[in-house]
Amino acid sequence: MAAVPVQEFKLEPDNELRFETELKGDSVRLELRSGTAELFGCELVKGREYVFEKGAKAAVFTWDGATVELKGKPEAAYIAKETPMVIYLNTHAVLEQLRRKAEAEEGRGPIVMVVGPADVGKSTLCRMMLNWGVRMGRKPLFVDLDVGQGNISIPGTIGAVMVERPAMPGDGYNLNAPLVYHYGHISPEKNLELLKIVTSKLASFVLQKFETNKRVAHSGMIINTCGWVKGDGYKLLTHAASAFEVDLIVVLDQERLYNELIRDMPNFVKVVFQPKSGGAVERNRQFRISTRESKVRQYFYGPKNTLFPQNVQVNFDDIKVFKIGAPKVSAALLPEGMMPDENSMTRIVPVSPGPDLLHHIMAMSYAESTEEDLLTTNVLGFVCVLNVDTEKQKLTLLSPHPAPLPRNIFLISDVQYMEI
């Protein structure tokens, strides 16, 4: 057996070790040997090995100097001496001042939205600010509006979760009772009307959370957004800023977006421009596809394959499947005098179980009957259609929950997953 390559890096104060693992390669192990260092705001424990699976991108930063060791063969690994970490930490310091003021005045902590084009490090900055806040004893809310990525749940959803402990490398956020809404597409432009509706519903719910939990209210909220910042994408950003009653918008890397928001936001919303980290690199299409597949797999099997989902069989007649949105019909194709349905993209359309469902993810709605508003009801969880038996009229579902399933109303998603 070939020896595992080992590299040692000595980091000076305010230096950062950036490394990437190969998309189709082996995992890489990181160990802090001496000094102090953190990864995306999470303090590393000396002597502990942290595992980074294929396709991972990481940056280990030290304020005071450290020695770290990489075991394995990363695709790239280098030390960066110029980083925006001081700027980011200053932002955290301002947020902490606002939290202390909120405590003193029994008010609401800062509500921050991070925006910018794709691949500028929005999710990473959100993670750092959340981790730093938790290390100060806070319990901030994290809201993820990036439907293509799925930081809280799977791609094709938006959601919110209270962050009570730092997001450890490789483990992600402690997803204890997240609030998740179905959208069903990985692109926000697929159904703008639906995305605005569920964004407003999510905002209404989390703002109510502030009224019932003072500690969460004092801690505030960090909101991650997608990288579509032009045209309708910009309208989605301004809609979210209004719905969540945002106090501060952090714009990464794009001065045009910064100036547009300065122009359009109310005076009480502060807009700041910050540089992206040099470690934020462009992700190609294959990497995005692989990441989405990994997110879905982690939902069913856990980050380290520690979960054991069930194969559950259900009869066609025992479940109700719907999709949201129907194709818009041109006025030229309609009978004379009829107008196109302006609400077609938010219409609830029944779907008969059949071969077309194969490999699709379906969201299990919290709704107990179809009399409830399926658009704005959050979801209980997800299943994947493994097999469709039209002869026996049965579906085989991959499910985190054993039979019988707690609900029978499902919303079909464009997101698909195939067992390997």
Side-chain angles (χ1 to χ4, degrees):
M1 181 182 294
V4 177
V6 178
Q7 300 178 71
E8 185 176 270
F9 298 87
K10 293 185 178 180
L11 306 179
E12 298 296 326
D14 297 339
N15 280 191
E16 188 172 72
L17 170 63
R18 298 170 182 164
F19 66 93
E20 304 173 24
T21 61
E22 295 179 353
L23 189 59
K24 297 182 179 180
D26 296 327
S27 61
V28 172
R29 295 175 180 270
L30 166 75
E31 182 181 338
L32 174 65
R33 302 304 300 272
S34 65
T36 58
E38 58 184 49
L39 189 136
F40 305 141
C42 179
E43 193 170 12
L44 299 179
V45 178
K46 192 180 301 183
R48 174 180 170 181
E49 283 193 342
Y50 298 89
V51 181
F52 296 84
E53 302 295 346
K54 58 185 180 181
K57 302 178 188 295
V60 178
F61 183 83
T62 176
W63 298 101
D64 304 308
T67 300
V68 296
E69 187 177 83
L70 287 183
K71 298 178 183 178
K73 189 178 179 181
E75 183 175 352
Y78 64 95
I79 295 175
K81 298 181 183 297
E82 299 292 333
T83 77
M85 288 293 287
V86 172
I87 296 174
Y88 297 162
L89 188 65
N90 287 340
T91 303
H92 159 70
V94 171
L95 299 184
E96 186 58 26
Q97 288 178 355
L98 294 173
R99 290 166 181 147
R100 290 174 182 173
K101 181 180 179 183
E103 278 183 323
E105 300 177 356
E106 285 298 319
R108 189 177 72 186
I111 300 179
V112 185
M113 189 166 77
V114 180
V115 303
D119 301 329
V120 295
K122 297 186 295 296
S123 299
T124 299
L125 179 57
C126 287
R127 174 173 287 208
M128 285 191 292
M129 290 195 293
L130 289 164
N131 282 342
W132 285 331
V134 171
R135 287 165 63 181
M136 297 294 294
R138 305 300 180 180
K139 289 188 175 183
L141 285 177
F142 174 46
V143 173
D144 187 24
L145 302 180
D146 187 352
V147 296
Q149 190 164 318
N151 279 301
I152 290 177
S153 185
I154 65 172
T157 64
I158 64 172
V161 67
M162 182 174 64
V163 182
E164 299 183 80
R165 65 167 178 80
M168 296 298 292
D171 293 341
Y173 297 99
N174 181 22
L175 299 180
N176 183 20
L179 176 68
V180 177
Y181 286 90
H182 168 83
Y183 171 62
H185 312 280
I186 59 173
S187 171
E189 57 190 312
K190 283 283 188 178
N191 196 332
L192 293 169
E193 292 89 343
L194 173 61
L195 190 51
K196 286 183 178 179
I197 289 172
V198 293
T199 297
S200 294
K201 182 64 178 181
L202 177 61
S204 174
F205 193 96
V206 297
L207 290 174
Q208 289 177 15
K209 181 75 173 177
F210 281 172
E211 297 177 6
T212 59
N213 190 321
K214 291 298 183 184
R215 187 173 178 186
V216 173
H218 299 157
S219 300
M221 186 190 312
I222 306 293
I223 305 169
N224 183 42
T225 59
C226 73
W228 187 26
V229 297
K230 294 182 180 179
D232 287 333
Y234 179 76
K235 293 178 182 178
L236 284 174
L237 291 180
T238 56
H239 173 81
S242 175
F244 284 95
E245 301 177 7
V246 165
D247 306 309
L248 171 66
I249 300 178
V250 177
V251 183
L252 289 180
D253 196 50
Q254 192 177 93
E255 292 187 354
R256 171 182 169 176
L257 178 60
Y258 166 73
N259 284 289
E260 287 174 338
L261 290 168
I262 286 284
R263 178 194 67 202
D264 296 335
M265 286 293 102
N267 292 334
F268 61 82
V269 178
K270 185 170 180 60
V271 183
V272 298
F273 177 83
Q274 295 185 354
K276 73 172 183 177
S277 169
V281 295
E282 186 174 348
R283 299 167 291 182
N284 59 33
R285 182 173 179 272
Q286 182 56 43
F287 181 84
R288 293 177 186 277
I289 292 173
S290 176
T291 301
R292 282 194 287 267
E293 290 175 348
S294 177
K295 289 284 187 181
V296 177
R297 179 174 177 78
Q298 284 182 28
Y299 172 79
F300 290 107
Y301 291 95
K304 298 177 182 178
N305 291 324
T306 54
L307 303 180
F308 300 94
Q310 309 286 315
N311 284 7
V312 176
Q313 282 199 336
V314 295
N315 297 317
F316 284 5
D317 292 339
D318 291 340
I319 65 172
K320 299 174 182 178
V321 181
F322 299 90
K323 69 175 181 178
I324 299 177
K328 288 186 177 180
V329 180
S330 169
L333 300 177
L334 293 173
E336 186 175 352
M338 287 191 64
M339 299 297 292
D341 183 4
E342 295 298 326
N343 299 319
S344 63
M345 295 306 291
T346 55
R347 187 188 305 160
I348 306 293
V349 181
V351 175
S352 298
D356 289 346
L357 294 183
L358 189 62
H359 304 310
H360 277 270
I361 297 295
M362 298 196 301
M364 182 187 298
S365 176
Y366 251 116
E368 295 185 359
S369 77
T370 54
E371 299 300 314
E372 299 179 46
D373 186 356
L374 300 185
L375 281 185
T376 58
T377 301
N378 57 307
V379 300
L380 183 61
F382 303 91
V383 298
C384 178
V385 182
L386 297 180
N387 186 55
V388 181
D389 190 331
T390 54
E391 184 177 337
K392 295 182 179 180
Q393 298 281 287
K394 288 181 179 292
L395 293 177
T396 302
L397 306 176
L398 183 68
S399 169
H401 193 286
L405 298 179
R407 296 287 192 276
N408 69 341
I409 298 175
F410 293 89
L411 301 173
I412 190 169
S413 171
D414 280 350
V415 177
Q416 298 184 47
Y417 173 71
M418 294 181 65
E419 290 273 55
I420 299 176

